[in-house]
Amino acid sequence: MKVATVGVHVLDTHVIGIESIPERSDGQLVERISLSPAGTAGGTAVVLSRLGAEVASYGAVGTDPVATTLLALLEAEGVDTSGLVRKGEHQTSASVIPVRPDGQRPAWHCIGANGAFTLDDLDLAALEGITHLHLGGPEFLGGEAAGRLLAHARSIGATTSVDLLAPGDPDMLAWVADALPHTDHLLPNDEQVLGLTGAASLAEGALALLDLGVGAVAVTQGARGALVASSTGGSPHVVEVPAYAVDVVDTTGCGDAFSAGYLRGLALGRDLPGAAALGCATAAQVARGLGTDAGSYSLDSVLDLAAATARTGARTGARTAAPAG
């Protein structure tokens, strides 16, 4: 599996053990502070690499120390960063994420160089030989440009997938609509699907996105796992895949981890529900640490986690596996 991850790359700073924000200029001791590569392209790139894929990232960063750190972390994970262009007039995208004891994580975020990335920054010839193109954050390119990129990827034999970053609403759907007919796998969360389509149910919303030309829709829905809608066999159908029960440390990056596990599952020959199950298991692995690069894991360890959970019957009703986000 040779993947180009294109789009949003972020450096996350996680602060764990936050129960409240100190008042005025007061300080507060916390359990831990850590840095990790993130974003709908960057976070997915890290997890795909750990799951055994060959990964090259494309996007934009600044020329600041944040970029130096982000690139070093990606490269340490085996991600080829030569396609990340430098934009000196913009800071590198970054987030600060205070993690509450229950795993919830509000965030402060700076868009930075992600907002300045265009197709002119990407040498399409560099994509030759890829088996997959994953576009994280098509809203930054706009639907027309995103559609051209995805169509090119398909023309060279690559499977395409898309993960949105922004909250869903009908205007956002209109903005990215031109990309959808060129998308083999759309990977939103439940709130995005309902917001984009205005549907009364998640299944109805996922099916509505199929009507816009998407090949399959795999939706994360927090502790409930995932929902997959497709027209395989000629008739639209929906399958739900349950979550895995884990002790949650931080849910940051679990959506990106689901995307990586799902795409890796497809490359390994799994059907759509089987790929979604691997996505849920990968997200469960990530939820046990801080960020997508927490701890040490591989495809084998994720499969072992899934197998162990299956033996104990502790799969449904999990606190997290493929969180919305």
Side-chain angles (χ1 to χ4, degrees):
M1 186 182 189
K2 187 174 181 180
V3 189
T5 50
V6 182
V8 174
H9 291 74
V10 182
L11 181 67
D12 276 356
T13 299
H14 310 265
V15 185
I16 194 166
I18 296 291
E19 295 185 356
S20 63
I21 303 299
E23 295 183 3
R24 298 180 297 277
S25 297
D26 295 346
Q28 182 182 100
L29 293 177
V30 297
E31 295 175 27
R32 182 179 171 192
I33 298 174
S34 68
L35 304 175
S36 66
T40 45
T44 304
V46 167
V47 184
L48 277 167
S49 184
R50 289 198 175 190
L51 297 181
E54 180 182 344
V55 187
S57 269
Y58 299 86
V61 296
T63 56
D64 48 11
V66 178
T68 302
T69 303
L70 176 56
L71 293 174
L73 291 171
L74 288 167
E75 290 163 5
E77 296 291 344
V79 177
D80 180 351
T81 63
S82 59
L84 289 170
V85 299
R86 298 289 195 118
K87 293 186 176 287
E89 67 275 26
H90 297 276
Q91 83 148 79
T92 303
S93 180
S95 294
V96 177
I97 302 169
V99 183
R100 296 183 175 125
D102 62 359
Q104 293 183 356
R105 70 289 193 268
W108 293 282
H109 179 66
C110 177
I111 292 174
N114 285 325
F117 178 66
T118 71
L119 278 192
D120 291 336
D121 296 314
L122 200 165
D123 178 9
L124 295 180
L127 301 178
E128 290 296 329
I130 64 170
T131 62
H132 196 105
L133 186 140
H134 177 69
L135 176 58
E139 56 269 38
F140 287 100
L141 289 177
E144 189 275 330
R148 284 192 282 122
L149 173 61
L150 296 167
H152 174 76
R154 278 180 159 183
S155 76
I156 59 174
T159 300
T160 61
S161 59
V162 169
D163 185 9
L164 295 165
L165 186 63
D169 64 56
D171 289 340
M172 179 57 64
L173 182 61
W175 176 244
V176 301
D178 287 346
L180 300 183
H182 308 287
T183 302
D184 294 317
H185 301 275
L186 183 64
L187 305 168
N189 63 44
D190 48 2
E191 293 180 355
Q192 287 170 331
V193 168
L194 295 176
L196 289 169
T197 65
S201 71
L202 197 57
E204 179 186 328
L207 292 173
L209 292 170
L210 291 183
D211 290 339
L212 297 177
V214 176
V217 183
V219 188
T220 58
Q221 47 178 348
R224 293 181 58 189
L227 176 148
V228 182
S230 70
S231 297
T232 305
S235 58
H237 61 280
V238 174
V239 177
E240 292 207 50
V241 177
Y244 289 83
V246 293
D247 292 327
V248 176
V249 173
D250 175 26
T251 59
T252 308
C254 286
D256 300 329
F258 172 84
S259 295
Y262 174 84
L263 298 174
R264 191 72 178 108
L266 293 175
L268 293 170
R270 291 189 171 208
D271 61 12
L272 294 178
L278 184 58
C280 287
T282 306
Q285 173 73 65
V286 166
R288 301 195 299 184
L290 286 178
T292 52
D293 62 342
S296 176
Y297 60 90
S298 64
L299 177 61
D300 286 342
S301 70
V302 171
L303 292 173
D304 288 345
L305 182 151
T309 303
R311 286 194 298 271
T312 62
R315 192 161 172 204
T316 58
R319 286 183 60 196
T320 187

